Amino acid sequence: MRIGTLTLDTRVLQSPMAGCTDLAFRLVARPRGMGFAFLEMVSATALVRTNRKTLELMRSLPEDRPLGAQLIGSDPAMMAEASVRVEAMGFELLDLNLGCPAPKMVKGEDGAGAALLTKPERASEIFRAVLRAVRRIPVTVKMRIGFTDASGREALEIARRAQDSGILALCVHGRTRQQGYTGKADYEAIGRVKRAVSIPVFGNGDVYTGEDARRLTEVSGCDAVMIGRGGLGNPWLYREAEAALSGAPRPAPPSWEDRLTALGEHLEHEVRIQGSERALRPMRRVACWYVAGKPGAAEFRRRICAAATIDEMRLLIESLRPSPSQ
Ligand SMILES: Cc1cc2nc3c(=O)[nH]c(=O)nc-3n(C[C@H](O)[C@H](O)[C@H](O)COP(=O)(O)O)c2cc1C
Protein backbone atom coordinates (compact mmCIF):
# COMPACT_ATOMS: atom_id res chain seq x y z
CA MET A 1 0.00 0.00 0.00
CA ARG A 2 1.32 3.41 -0.92
CA ILE A 3 0.84 6.43 1.34
CA GLY A 4 2.53 9.28 -0.49
CA THR A 5 6.26 8.61 -0.48
CA LEU A 6 5.90 5.63 1.86
CA THR A 7 5.28 2.08 0.70
CA LEU A 8 3.82 -0.05 3.46
CA ASP A 9 4.52 -3.73 3.02
CA THR A 10 2.07 -4.68 5.74
CA ARG A 11 -1.64 -4.33 6.37
CA VAL A 12 -1.14 -4.53 10.14
CA LEU A 13 0.12 -1.51 12.05
CA GLN A 14 0.74 -0.87 15.72
CA SER A 15 -1.28 2.04 17.03
CA PRO A 16 0.33 4.80 19.11
CA MET A 17 -0.19 4.18 22.83
CA ALA A 18 1.04 6.55 25.54
CA GLY A 19 3.16 4.78 28.14
CA CYS A 20 3.09 1.52 26.17
CA THR A 21 4.56 1.61 22.63
CA ASP A 22 7.99 2.79 23.74
CA LEU A 23 11.31 1.81 22.19
CA ALA A 24 11.69 -1.35 24.30
CA PHE A 25 8.18 -2.51 23.33
CA ARG A 26 8.98 -1.97 19.66
CA LEU A 27 12.37 -3.68 19.81
CA VAL A 28 10.71 -6.82 21.19
CA ALA A 29 7.97 -6.77 18.55
CA ARG A 30 10.00 -5.92 15.41
CA PRO A 31 11.75 -9.29 14.94
CA ARG A 32 8.49 -11.08 15.78
CA GLY A 33 6.57 -9.45 12.94
CA MET A 34 5.65 -5.83 13.72
CA GLY A 35 5.96 -4.11 10.34
CA PHE A 36 4.96 -0.55 11.14
CA ALA A 37 4.66 1.20 14.48
CA PHE A 38 3.95 4.56 16.02
CA LEU A 39 5.58 6.34 18.89
CA GLU A 40 3.18 7.43 21.54
CA MET A 41 1.63 10.85 20.97
CA VAL A 42 3.75 13.87 21.81
CA SER A 43 2.54 17.37 22.54
CA ALA A 44 3.36 19.80 19.73
CA THR A 45 4.05 22.53 22.27
CA ALA A 46 6.41 20.33 24.29
CA LEU A 47 8.30 19.33 21.15
CA VAL A 48 8.69 22.91 19.97
CA ARG A 49 10.00 23.81 23.43
CA THR A 50 12.50 20.93 23.16
CA ASN A 51 11.20 19.37 26.35
CA ARG A 52 13.71 16.71 27.48
CA LYS A 53 11.08 14.11 28.39
CA THR A 54 9.36 14.56 25.03
CA LEU A 55 12.62 13.96 23.19
CA GLU A 56 13.14 10.81 25.29
CA LEU A 57 9.74 9.54 24.14
CA MET A 58 10.91 9.96 20.55
CA ARG A 59 14.01 7.75 20.81
CA SER A 60 14.45 5.13 18.13
CA LEU A 61 17.12 2.87 16.56
CA PRO A 62 17.82 1.85 12.95
CA GLU A 63 16.22 -1.59 13.52
CA ASP A 64 13.05 0.16 14.76
CA ARG A 65 11.81 1.28 11.32
CA PRO A 66 9.54 2.21 9.62
CA LEU A 67 8.16 4.39 12.39
CA GLY A 68 5.53 7.09 12.59
CA ALA A 69 5.35 9.98 15.05
CA GLN A 70 2.10 11.46 16.31
CA LEU A 71 1.43 15.03 17.37
CA ILE A 72 -1.32 16.33 19.60
CA GLY A 73 -2.28 19.98 19.90
CA SER A 74 -4.87 22.50 18.81
CA ASP A 75 -2.87 25.50 17.66
CA PRO A 76 -2.27 25.33 13.89
CA ALA A 77 1.00 27.31 13.96
CA MET A 78 2.38 25.22 16.82
CA MET A 79 1.36 21.98 15.11
CA ALA A 80 3.06 23.17 11.91
CA GLU A 81 6.29 24.06 13.71
CA ALA A 82 6.31 20.72 15.54
CA SER A 83 5.69 18.92 12.21
CA VAL A 84 8.84 20.42 10.75
CA ARG A 85 10.78 19.00 13.69
CA VAL A 86 9.21 15.57 13.31
CA GLU A 87 10.23 15.53 9.65
CA ALA A 88 13.77 16.69 10.45
CA MET A 89 14.08 13.88 13.02
CA GLY A 90 13.69 11.32 10.21
CA PHE A 91 10.35 9.67 10.99
CA GLU A 92 8.69 8.00 8.02
CA LEU A 93 5.19 9.35 8.69
CA LEU A 94 3.43 11.98 10.78
CA ASP A 95 0.01 11.40 12.31
CA LEU A 96 -2.24 14.04 13.85
CA ASN A 97 -4.19 13.01 16.94
CA LEU A 98 -7.95 13.70 16.83
CA GLY A 99 -8.87 10.90 19.19
CA CYS A 100 -7.31 11.33 22.62
CA PRO A 101 -10.16 11.37 25.19
CA ALA A 102 -8.09 12.56 28.19
CA PRO A 103 -9.65 15.59 29.92
CA LYS A 104 -6.18 17.17 30.07
CA MET A 105 -6.15 17.28 26.25
CA VAL A 106 -9.85 17.74 25.51
CA LYS A 107 -10.49 20.46 28.11
CA GLY A 108 -6.94 21.81 28.41
CA GLU A 109 -4.68 22.65 25.44
CA ASP A 110 -7.59 24.73 24.06
CA GLY A 111 -9.44 21.60 23.00
CA ALA A 112 -7.02 19.09 21.45
CA GLY A 113 -7.36 15.37 20.66
CA ALA A 114 -10.96 14.18 20.35
CA ALA A 115 -12.26 17.72 21.04
CA LEU A 116 -11.26 18.62 17.46
CA LEU A 117 -14.01 16.30 16.21
CA THR A 118 -16.45 18.98 17.34
CA LYS A 119 -14.41 21.80 15.79
CA PRO A 120 -14.12 20.91 12.10
CA GLU A 121 -13.06 24.41 11.06
CA ARG A 122 -10.14 24.34 13.52
CA ALA A 123 -9.25 20.83 12.43
CA SER A 124 -9.07 22.02 8.79
CA GLU A 125 -6.81 24.91 9.80
CA ILE A 126 -4.47 22.44 11.49
CA PHE A 127 -4.43 20.14 8.46
CA ARG A 128 -3.65 23.02 6.12
CA ALA A 129 -0.93 24.51 8.35
CA VAL A 130 0.79 21.14 8.84
CA LEU A 131 0.60 20.22 5.17
CA ARG A 132 2.13 23.55 4.19
CA ALA A 133 5.01 22.94 6.61
CA VAL A 134 5.81 19.30 5.85
CA ARG A 135 7.80 18.76 2.65
CA ARG A 136 8.39 15.04 2.25
CA ILE A 137 6.72 12.64 4.66
CA PRO A 138 3.06 11.60 4.45
CA VAL A 139 0.65 13.07 6.98
CA THR A 140 -2.27 11.03 8.33
CA VAL A 141 -5.05 11.64 10.86
CA LYS A 142 -6.18 9.29 13.63
CA MET A 143 -9.64 9.92 14.98
CA ARG A 144 -12.61 8.45 16.77
CA ILE A 145 -16.05 7.99 15.20
CA GLY A 146 -17.38 10.94 17.18
CA PHE A 147 -17.25 12.91 20.41
CA THR A 148 -20.57 11.87 21.92
CA ASP A 149 -22.44 11.15 18.68
CA ALA A 150 -21.94 7.47 17.78
CA SER A 151 -23.48 7.82 14.30
CA GLY A 152 -20.10 8.64 12.76
CA ARG A 153 -21.39 11.96 11.40
CA GLU A 154 -18.57 13.96 13.05
CA ALA A 155 -15.93 11.56 11.74
CA LEU A 156 -17.37 11.82 8.22
CA GLU A 157 -17.08 15.58 8.27
CA ILE A 158 -13.48 15.45 9.51
CA ALA A 159 -12.59 12.68 7.05
CA ARG A 160 -13.81 14.69 4.06
CA ARG A 161 -12.02 17.80 5.25
CA ALA A 162 -8.82 15.83 5.86
CA GLN A 163 -8.92 14.32 2.38
CA ASP A 164 -9.65 17.69 0.74
CA SER A 165 -6.69 19.25 2.58
CA GLY A 166 -4.26 16.60 1.31
CA ILE A 167 -4.10 14.20 4.27
CA LEU A 168 -3.02 10.86 2.77
CA ALA A 169 -4.68 8.27 5.04
CA LEU A 170 -7.01 8.05 8.03
CA CYS A 171 -7.11 5.80 11.03
CA VAL A 172 -10.56 5.41 12.54
CA HIS A 173 -11.03 4.04 16.07
CA GLY A 174 -14.58 2.74 16.25
CA ARG A 175 -15.51 4.37 19.56
CA THR A 176 -16.66 7.82 20.61
CA ARG A 177 -14.75 10.01 23.03
CA GLN A 178 -17.54 9.41 25.54
CA GLN A 179 -16.92 5.66 25.39
CA GLY A 180 -13.25 6.05 26.23
CA TYR A 181 -11.95 2.50 25.91
CA THR A 182 -15.16 0.74 26.98
CA GLY A 183 -17.89 -0.92 24.96
CA LYS A 184 -17.28 -2.49 21.60
CA ALA A 185 -15.65 -0.76 18.65
CA ASP A 186 -18.25 -0.12 15.92
CA TYR A 187 -16.85 -1.57 12.69
CA GLU A 188 -19.92 -0.47 10.71
CA ALA A 189 -19.22 3.18 11.59
CA ILE A 190 -15.61 2.73 10.43
CA GLY A 191 -17.05 1.38 7.17
CA ARG A 192 -19.18 4.51 6.69
CA VAL A 193 -16.02 6.64 6.87
CA LYS A 194 -14.20 4.27 4.52
CA ARG A 195 -16.93 4.57 1.91
CA ALA A 196 -16.99 8.39 2.13
CA VAL A 197 -13.34 8.90 1.13
CA SER A 198 -10.92 7.59 -1.47
CA ILE A 199 -7.73 7.73 0.66
CA PRO A 200 -6.74 4.58 2.61
CA VAL A 201 -8.54 4.00 5.91
CA PHE A 202 -7.03 1.97 8.74
CA GLY A 203 -9.61 0.40 11.04
CA ASN A 204 -8.93 0.26 14.76
CA GLY A 205 -10.53 -1.21 17.85
CA ASP A 206 -10.65 -4.55 19.68
CA VAL A 207 -8.24 -6.52 17.50
CA TYR A 208 -6.91 -9.27 19.77
CA THR A 209 -6.75 -12.16 17.28
CA GLY A 210 -6.26 -12.76 13.58
CA GLU A 211 -9.95 -13.48 13.35
CA ASP A 212 -10.74 -10.02 14.81
CA ALA A 213 -8.51 -8.44 12.15
CA ARG A 214 -10.29 -10.36 9.40
CA ARG A 215 -13.73 -9.36 10.74
CA LEU A 216 -12.72 -5.69 11.01
CA THR A 217 -11.61 -5.57 7.36
CA GLU A 218 -14.61 -7.58 6.20
CA VAL A 219 -17.22 -5.47 8.00
CA SER A 220 -15.66 -2.05 7.40
CA GLY A 221 -13.84 -2.61 4.11
CA CYS A 222 -10.81 -0.87 5.66
CA ASP A 223 -7.45 -1.08 3.88
CA ALA A 224 -5.37 -2.02 6.93
CA VAL A 225 -5.87 -2.71 10.62
CA MET A 226 -4.30 -0.90 13.50
CA ILE A 227 -3.65 -2.95 16.60
CA GLY A 228 -4.00 -1.23 19.98
CA ARG A 229 -4.14 -3.02 23.33
CA GLY A 230 -4.01 -6.41 21.62
CA GLY A 231 -0.30 -5.87 20.91
CA LEU A 232 0.64 -5.43 24.57
CA GLY A 233 2.52 -8.57 25.64
CA ASN A 234 1.56 -10.22 22.35
CA PRO A 235 4.23 -9.37 19.75
CA TRP A 236 3.09 -12.45 17.78
CA LEU A 237 -0.26 -10.84 16.94
CA TYR A 238 1.03 -8.94 13.88
CA ARG A 239 1.96 -12.18 12.06
CA GLU A 240 -1.25 -13.84 13.17
CA ALA A 241 -3.27 -10.91 11.80
CA GLU A 242 -1.27 -10.81 8.54
CA ALA A 243 -1.91 -14.52 8.07
CA ALA A 244 -5.64 -14.12 8.73
CA LEU A 245 -5.90 -11.22 6.27
CA SER A 246 -4.14 -13.15 3.53
CA GLY A 247 -5.98 -16.42 4.19
CA ALA A 248 -2.75 -18.21 5.26
CA PRO A 249 -2.79 -20.79 8.06
CA ARG A 250 -2.57 -19.42 11.59
CA PRO A 251 1.05 -19.44 12.85
CA ALA A 252 1.71 -21.65 15.89
CA PRO A 253 0.81 -19.74 19.07
CA PRO A 254 3.69 -18.76 21.37
CA SER A 255 4.60 -21.24 24.09
CA TRP A 256 4.94 -20.25 27.76
CA GLU A 257 8.70 -20.29 27.22
CA ASP A 258 8.36 -17.93 24.21
CA ARG A 259 6.42 -15.54 26.44
CA LEU A 260 9.09 -15.55 29.13
CA THR A 261 11.82 -15.03 26.52
CA ALA A 262 10.01 -12.01 25.05
CA LEU A 263 9.36 -10.63 28.54
CA GLY A 264 13.05 -11.12 29.44
CA GLU A 265 14.07 -9.23 26.27
CA HIS A 266 11.63 -6.44 27.06
CA LEU A 267 13.14 -6.09 30.52
CA GLU A 268 16.72 -5.98 29.19
CA HIS A 269 15.81 -3.37 26.54
CA GLU A 270 14.07 -1.25 29.15
CA VAL A 271 17.10 -1.48 31.46
CA ARG A 272 19.48 -0.50 28.65
CA ILE A 273 17.28 2.44 27.65
CA GLN A 274 16.19 3.75 31.04
CA GLY A 275 18.59 2.24 33.56
CA SER A 276 17.68 -0.35 36.25
CA GLU A 277 16.07 2.05 38.64
CA ARG A 278 13.75 3.80 36.22
CA ALA A 279 12.87 0.53 34.47
CA LEU A 280 11.48 -1.07 37.63
CA ARG A 281 8.13 0.70 37.73
CA PRO A 282 7.09 0.30 34.09
CA MET A 283 8.29 -3.32 34.12
CA ARG A 284 5.80 -4.23 36.88
CA ARG A 285 3.02 -3.29 34.49
CA VAL A 286 4.68 -4.60 31.33
CA ALA A 287 5.51 -8.01 32.85
CA CYS A 288 1.82 -8.66 33.53
CA TRP A 289 0.95 -8.11 29.85
CA TYR A 290 2.94 -11.18 28.81
CA VAL A 291 1.15 -13.61 31.11
CA ALA A 292 -2.35 -12.07 31.10
CA GLY A 293 -5.05 -14.72 30.93
CA LYS A 294 -2.57 -17.60 31.44
CA PRO A 295 -2.76 -20.00 34.40
CA GLY A 296 -0.86 -18.56 37.36
CA ALA A 297 -1.11 -14.97 36.08
CA ALA A 298 -2.52 -13.60 39.36
CA GLU A 299 0.28 -15.15 41.43
CA PHE A 300 2.86 -13.92 38.90
CA ARG A 301 1.44 -10.38 39.15
CA ARG A 302 1.65 -10.46 42.95
CA ARG A 303 5.26 -11.62 42.88
CA ILE A 304 6.44 -9.26 40.13
CA CYS A 305 4.88 -6.28 41.93
CA ALA A 306 6.68 -7.34 45.13
CA ALA A 307 10.09 -7.43 43.39
CA ALA A 308 12.19 -4.60 44.78
CA THR A 309 14.94 -4.68 42.15
CA ILE A 310 15.42 -5.56 38.49
CA ASP A 311 17.63 -8.50 39.57
CA GLU A 312 14.74 -9.90 41.60
CA MET A 313 12.55 -9.60 38.52
CA ARG A 314 15.14 -11.39 36.40
CA LEU A 315 15.30 -14.26 38.90
CA LEU A 316 11.54 -14.52 39.09
CA ILE A 317 11.20 -14.69 35.29
CA GLU A 318 13.92 -17.36 35.06
CA SER A 319 12.35 -19.37 37.90
CA LEU A 320 9.16 -19.69 35.83
CA ARG A 321 10.87 -21.46 32.95
CA PRO A 322 10.14 -25.16 32.77
CA SER A 323 13.18 -27.16 33.95
CA PRO A 324 14.94 -29.20 31.20
CA SER A 325 13.55 -32.50 32.59
CA GLN A 326 9.95 -31.31 32.35
C1 LIG B 1 -2.97 3.29 27.55
C2 LIG B 1 -3.40 3.81 26.20
C3 LIG B 1 -2.67 4.83 25.61
C4 LIG B 1 -3.05 5.32 24.35
N1 LIG B 1 -2.32 6.32 23.77
C5 LIG B 1 -2.66 6.77 22.53
C6 LIG B 1 -1.86 7.75 21.86
O1 LIG B 1 -0.82 8.21 22.36
N2 LIG B 1 -2.28 8.17 20.63
C7 LIG B 1 -3.41 7.66 20.02
O2 LIG B 1 -3.75 8.06 18.92
N3 LIG B 1 -4.15 6.71 20.63
C8 LIG B 1 -3.80 6.25 21.85
N4 LIG B 1 -4.53 5.27 22.44
C9 LIG B 1 -5.63 4.65 21.67
C10 LIG B 1 -5.14 3.41 20.92
O3 LIG B 1 -4.15 3.74 19.98
C11 LIG B 1 -6.30 2.72 20.17
O4 LIG B 1 -6.84 3.64 19.27
C12 LIG B 1 -7.39 2.27 21.13
O5 LIG B 1 -6.85 1.62 22.26
C13 LIG B 1 -8.38 1.34 20.41
O6 LIG B 1 -7.77 0.17 19.97
P1 LIG B 1 -7.91 -1.20 20.82
O7 LIG B 1 -9.38 -1.40 21.16
O8 LIG B 1 -7.37 -2.25 19.88
O9 LIG B 1 -7.06 -1.03 22.05
C14 LIG B 1 -4.18 4.77 23.69
C15 LIG B 1 -4.91 3.74 24.30
C16 LIG B 1 -4.52 3.26 25.53
C17 LIG B 1 -5.34 2.15 26.17
Side-chain angles (χ1 to χ4, degrees):
M1 187 189 341
R2 280 194 73 81
I3 307 175
T5 52
L6 180 69
T7 303
L8 277 186
D9 56 7
T10 176
R11 281 199 289 161
V12 182
L13 300 88
Q14 173 60 53
S15 198
M17 291 181 68
C20 303
T21 56
D22 67 1
L23 178 56
F25 169 89
R26 302 191 305 268
L27 290 176
V28 175
R30 292 284 185 186
R32 293 176 172 82
M34 185 173 75
F36 188 95
F38 280 94
L39 299 174
E40 64 180 80
M41 63 181 179
V42 297
S43 146
T45 310
L47 178 58
V48 168
R49 292 188 181 147
T50 326
N51 175 284
R52 185 180 53 83
K53 269 198 159 161
T54 300
L55 295 180
E56 279 180 16
L57 295 178
M58 301 180 89
R59 283 179 291 212
S60 177
L61 287 171
E63 59 268 38
D64 175 35
R65 304 319 263 239
L67 181 64
Q70 188 192 54
L71 288 174
I72 188 161
S74 62
D75 176 49
M78 191 64 86
M79 289 288 273
E81 199 174 334
S83 304
V84 172
R85 298 199 181 203
V86 165
E87 186 166 49
M89 289 166 92
F91 294 102
E92 277 77 23
L93 183 146
L94 167 64
D95 184 74
L96 309 177
N97 183 313
L98 269 72
C100 180
K104 191 174 147 214
M105 292 299 167
V106 168
K107 301 205 173 98
E109 286 258 350
D110 196 22
L116 287 168
L117 295 171
T118 63
K119 300 191 291 182
E121 203 38 62
R122 172 62 71 92
S124 288
E125 284 170 31
I126 293 174
F127 302 155
R128 286 195 295 266
V130 167
L131 288 162
R132 268 197 307 271
V134 169
R135 306 239 159 265
R136 190 180 42 82
I137 59 173
V139 182
T140 60
V141 164
K142 180 168 178 286
M143 63 184 170
R144 289 181 177 247
I145 53 170
F147 196 75
T148 51
D149 178 353
S151 71
R153 198 177 41 83
E154 287 162 331
L156 282 179
E157 166 85 22
I158 297 288
R160 290 197 188 101
R161 283 170 178 263
Q163 174 169 277
D164 292 348
S165 313
I167 295 290
L168 291 177
L170 301 170
C171 171
V172 185
H173 172 195
R175 291 186 174 85
T176 61
R177 186 263 171 173
Q178 195 171 33
Q179 283 177 292
Y181 298 101
T182 62
K184 274 175 76 109
D186 182 349
Y187 293 172
E188 305 274 357
I190 297 173
R192 287 195 286 280
V193 177
K194 164 67 194 162
R195 289 190 295 278
V197 292
S198 56
I199 53 177
V201 170
F202 310 149
N204 170 237
D206 297 338
V207 175
Y208 290 92
T209 63
E211 177 52 28
D212 293 336
R214 198 196 55 74
R215 201 170 52 78
L216 170 53
T217 46
E218 204 168 277
V219 174
S220 70
C222 64
D223 303 276
V225 301
M226 220 183 223
I227 289 179
R229 290 165 291 181
L232 305 181
N234 188 3
W236 304 274
L237 179 56
Y238 313 99
R239 274 200 187 129
E240 187 189 329
E242 290 276 10
L245 294 183
S246 59
R250 186 185 168 189
S255 64
W256 175 249
E257 184 125 36
D258 293 335
R259 290 179 181 280
L260 293 179
T261 299
L263 166 55
E265 279 177 29
H266 201 136
L267 181 141
E268 297 308 334
H269 286 310
E270 212 68 86
V271 168
R272 258 192 304 277
I273 296 161
Q274 308 215 48
S276 301
E277 234 158 76
R278 277 180 69 190
L280 191 64
R281 243 180 75 181
M283 277 313 299
R284 291 199 177 112
R285 191 167 43 94
V286 166
C288 297
W289 296 343
Y290 284 89
V291 298
K294 302 291 158 217
E299 172 63 7
F300 176 82
R301 182 176 306 121
R302 193 189 60 70
R303 289 174 66 189
I304 209 89
C305 288
T309 63
I310 284 289
D311 273 340
E312 269 183 49
M313 271 190 194
R314 285 191 179 109
L315 284 174
L316 174 58
I317 294 166
E318 283 313 306
S319 75
L320 294 170
R321 285 188 191 280
S323 59
S325 57
Q326 274 179 330

